[in-house]
C-alpha cells in the first residue's frame, strides 16, 4: 500500500534523525517474539519487551520508520476521535472513562520514556482547544464538558466572549483542556529503535513476511530471504494488516496536511495550543518547536485518494483557507504538503491485544487521530500479555469488544 505521498515536515526538520538503513533478514533466525512493523507501534512494543528481557526481532518491509509514522503530525491527545459523551453510549461509562484516563497516563509514559532515552524528540506539553465548528454545536460541547468534568478531567467551557478574550477564534463555544502534548514522531521512532538495539533487539529492514504458520508451539514466519522461528508474533503493521487478521477492524481513509516555514509571531493563537474542531472530518492545527504551523484534515473516503497530486493541491488550498478564516492575522504559506492513509474504527478506539483464536498472535493497531498515544498503551498491554502480567486495558481495547 502507498501509505503516504508528498513531503512530510519531518523530512525538513530532522537533520539529526535520518532513517538508518537496516539490513534485510537472511538465513535461519530464532527469537522469543517477532514484531512485524518498524514504525512507532512496532518500535514501542519492541523496546518495551526488550527492556523486560525478551529476545525480540523487528522486521519491516520498508526502512523502519518511513511508513505511516513518517506522515504523522505528532499530536499526543488523551481525547479520542469519539467524544467521551458519545463513547459512553457506545462502550459504556466504565470503559469510556477508562480509555480517556488511560490516554492521559500514556502521555505521561511517553514523557518518562523520553527521559530514559535521553532524547526529548521535540516533546512539549500543550493545552488543547476543542472548538465548535457551528453555533448549534454548543449543546454538544456543553454535554462533553459536563461528562469530562464529572470524570475528573481538567477542563474549562469557554463562551464566545471568553474565547474572544483569549484567541482570535469566533466560535460559539470551546472546550479547553490540559494534559496533551506534541512530539516529532519520526525522531521518536528512530530513538526507540536505537535504544532497543542497544539492549539486544535485532532489527531488519526491507524484509517482508510472506507467509507464517502458527501452532501451539509457536510461529514460523517466512520472508524472501529468511525463516524466523518465535514463540509469539506481534503485528504492528498499521493499515497494511493484510491476511494477519481475519478482517480489517477499521475503515481506511485518506487525510491531508501542510506545514509552513518557521515563524515567530502567532497573533490570536495562545501558548501553542493544539486546536481541533467538532465537525467531522475535523480541521486541526499545531505549532512545531521551531515555529512551523502544521494544519491537517480534509479527510476523504478511500485509502488511496492521496496518491493524486491534484487532490493534494486542492485539499491543501482548502486547509489554508480554513486556517486563514480562524487566524486572519497569521500568514501561512505551505513549505511542505503531504497526505496519507489512516483508519477509523466504529468507536474511535484502537484494537490491541491477542488476536481471536490465535493464541500466539497479537496486534497493536493504534488507529485514529491519536495513534501514538494508542501505541504507547499497546506497548505496555502487549508486553504484559506476553510476560503474564495483569493489565486492565485488555477488555477496553480487545478485538472481541
Amino acid at each position: 500500500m502507498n501509505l503516504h505521498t508528498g513531503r512530510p515536515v519531518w523530512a525538513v526538520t530532522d537533520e539529526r534523525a535520518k532513517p538508518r538503513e537496516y539490513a534485510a533478514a537472511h538465513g535461519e533466525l530464532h527469537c522469543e517474539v517477532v514484531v512485524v512493523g518498524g514504525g512507532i507501534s512496532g518500535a514501542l512494543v519492541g523496546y518495551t519487551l526488550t527492556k523486560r528481557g525478551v529476545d525480540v526481532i523487528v522486521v519491516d518491509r520498508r526502512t523502519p520508520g518511513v511508513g505511516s509514522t513518517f506522515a504523522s503530525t505528532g499530536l499526543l491527545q488523551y481525547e479520542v476521535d469519539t467524544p467521551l459523551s458519545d463513547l459512553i453510549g457506545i462502550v459504556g461509562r466504565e470503559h469510556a472513562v477508562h480509555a480517556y484516563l488511560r490516554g492521559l497516563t500514556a502521555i505521561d509514559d511517553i514523557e518518562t520514556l523520553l527521559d530514559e532515552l535521553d532524547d526529548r524528540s521535540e516533546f512539549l506539553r500543550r493545552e488543547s482547544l476543542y472548538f465548535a465548528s457551528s453555533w448549534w454545536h454548543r449543546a454538544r460541547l456543553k454535554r462533553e464538558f459536563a461528562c469530562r468534568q464529572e470524570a475528573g478531567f481538567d477542563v474549562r467551557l469557554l463562551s464566545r466572549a471568553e474565547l474572544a478574550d483569549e484567541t482570535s477564534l469566533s466560535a460559539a463555544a470551546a472546550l479547553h483542556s490540559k494534559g496533551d502534548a506534541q512530539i516529532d514522531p519520526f525522531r521518536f521512532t528512530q530513538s526507540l529503535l536505537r535504544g532497543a538495539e542497544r539492549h539486544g533487539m535485532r532489527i531488519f529492514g526491507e524484509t517482508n513476511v510472506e507467509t507464517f504458520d502458527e501452532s501451539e508451539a509457536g510461529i514460523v514466519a517466512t520472508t524472501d530471504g529468511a525463516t524466523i522461528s518465535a514463540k509469539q508474533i506481534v503485528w504492528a503493521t498499521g493499515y497494511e494488516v493484510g491476511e494477519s487478521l481475519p478482517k480489517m477492524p477499521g475503515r481506511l481513509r485518506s487525510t491531508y496536511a501542510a506545514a509552513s516555514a518557521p515563524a515567530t509571531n502567532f497573533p490570536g493563537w495562545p501558548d501553542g495550543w493544539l486546536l481541533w474542531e467538532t465537525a467531522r472530518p475535523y480541521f486541526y492545527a499545531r505549532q512545531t518547536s521551531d515555529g512551523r504551523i502544521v494544519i491537517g484534515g480534509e479527510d476523504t473516503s478511500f485509502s488511496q485518494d492521496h496518491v493524486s497530486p491534484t487532490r493534494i493541491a486542492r485539499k491543501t488550498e482548502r486547509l489554508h483557507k480554513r486556517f486563514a478564516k480562524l487566524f486572519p492575522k497569521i500568514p501561512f504559506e505551505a513549505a511542505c504538503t503531504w497526505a496519507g492513509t489512516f483508519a477509523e474504527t466504529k468507536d474511535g478506539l484502537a484494537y490491541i491485544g491477542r488476536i481471536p483464536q490465535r493464541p500466539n498472535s497479537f496486534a497493536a493497531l493504534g488507529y485514529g487521530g491519536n495513534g501514538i498515544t494508542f501505541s504507547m498503551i499497546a506497548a505496555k498491554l502487549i508486553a504484559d500479555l506476553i510476560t503474564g502480567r495483569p493489565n486492565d486495558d485488555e477488555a477496553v481495547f480487545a478485538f472481541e469488544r
Side-chain angles (χ1 to χ4, degrees):
M1 183 183 294
N2 191 335
L3 293 175
H4 63 79
T5 51
R7 190 183 187 214
V9 66
W10 319 119
V12 177
T13 60
D14 276 333
E15 292 301 320
R16 294 184 299 162
K18 295 294 185 183
R20 175 179 164 185
E21 299 291 336
Y22 292 90
H26 288 288
E28 296 279 342
L29 299 171
H30 300 270
C31 61
E32 292 179 86
V33 178
V34 58
V35 178
V36 184
I40 187 63
S41 297
L44 278 165
V45 170
Y47 181 88
T48 304
L49 284 168
T50 301
K51 285 283 289 183
R52 294 191 186 183
V54 179
D55 181 19
V56 179
I57 288 176
V58 167
V59 298
D60 195 296
R61 68 193 308 175
R62 302 176 179 84
T63 299
V66 302
S68 295
T69 297
F70 198 41
S72 169
T73 49
L75 279 72
L76 302 178
Q77 295 180 284
Y78 73 79
E79 304 96 327
V80 305
D81 287 349
T82 304
L84 178 60
S85 51
D86 294 337
L87 188 60
I88 288 172
I90 300 172
V91 303
R93 179 174 179 79
E94 181 181 355
H95 282 187
V97 172
H98 180 103
Y100 267 64
L101 289 171
R102 189 62 185 89
L104 271 176
T105 59
I107 297 170
D108 293 337
D109 292 340
I110 289 172
E111 186 168 19
T112 299
L113 183 53
L114 289 164
D115 290 336
E116 185 178 301
L117 292 167
D118 195 25
D119 181 357
R120 297 292 290 178
S121 297
E122 308 300 330
F123 177 93
L124 291 170
R125 286 285 181 173
R126 293 299 196 197
E127 298 172 28
S128 289
L129 195 70
Y130 182 42
F131 62 92
S133 307
S134 304
W135 66 267
W136 57 84
H137 289 179
R138 287 178 300 178
R140 182 185 307 177
L141 281 176
K142 289 179 180 178
R143 184 171 66 251
E144 181 68 7
F145 169 72
C147 247
R148 290 206 213 170
Q149 190 177 53
E150 184 181 353
F153 293 97
D154 188 351
V155 289
R156 292 188 298 153
L157 182 64
L158 303 179
S159 66
R160 183 186 295 276
E162 290 169 326
L163 191 60
D165 284 340
E166 299 189 45
T167 77
S168 67
L169 302 179
S170 60
L175 197 63
H176 174 256
S177 60
K178 296 181 179 180
D180 291 336
Q182 63 186 46
I183 201 168
D184 177 334
F186 176 68
R187 181 173 166 182
F188 183 33
T189 301
Q190 298 300 318
S191 183
L192 282 165
L193 292 171
R194 290 193 301 269
E197 193 173 34
R198 287 194 297 269
H199 289 286
M201 189 172 82
R202 289 169 283 171
I203 307 167
F204 299 98
E206 309 302 326
T207 300
N208 183 43
V209 173
E210 297 176 343
T211 63
F212 76 99
D213 295 313
E214 181 173 352
S215 66
E216 290 185 6
I219 66 98
V220 177
T222 304
T223 77
D224 53 357
T227 300
I228 305 172
S229 300
K231 294 178 181 178
Q232 286 131 339
I233 189 168
V234 179
W235 297 94
T237 49
Y239 314 127
E240 294 181 303
V241 172
E243 296 179 357
S244 57
L245 292 178
K247 65 176 182 177
M248 179 68 186
R251 299 185 300 274
L252 295 181
R253 304 281 192 257
S254 289
T255 190
Y256 305 83
S260 71
T264 57
N265 190 26
F266 304 94
W269 186 347
D271 302 321
W273 289 357
L274 307 180
L275 307 170
W276 58 310
E277 65 176 335
T278 54
R280 293 295 183 272
Y282 57 82
F283 172 91
Y284 64 89
R286 58 161 284 199
Q287 300 168 19
T288 63
S289 60
D290 66 345
R292 297 174 189 270
I293 299 165
V294 178
I295 56 178
E298 284 293 319
D299 306 344
T300 54
S301 299
F302 299 99
S303 65
Q304 297 298 286
D305 282 350
H306 62 85
V307 301
S308 165
T310 302
R311 184 176 284 110
I312 292 178
R314 186 170 67 248
K315 293 295 186 179
T316 299
E317 179 62 24
R318 289 175 63 90
L319 289 170
H320 186 184
K321 288 181 178 178
R322 181 67 172 135
F323 181 81
K325 184 176 181 181
L326 295 171
F327 297 103
K329 294 182 179 180
I330 304 178
F332 181 94
E333 183 175 349
C336 304
T337 61
W338 71 101
T341 302
F342 80 108
E344 294 177 338
T345 64
K346 60 186 179 181
D347 51 17
L349 299 180
Y351 282 91
I352 306 166
R354 198 182 307 271
I355 298 174
Q357 286 79 54
R358 302 260 293 280
N360 296 314
S361 293
F362 303 82
L365 305 178
Y367 296 153
N370 46 1
I372 299 173
T373 311
F374 283 143
S375 294
M376 186 68 252
I377 295 170
K380 284 200 163 185
L381 173 53
I382 289 177
D384 284 345
L385 291 173
I386 287 175
T387 58
R389 301 183 188 181
N391 188 311
D392 56 5
D393 294 336
E394 184 175 6
V396 178
F397 299 102
F399 284 85
E400 299 93 333
R401 68 178 187 267

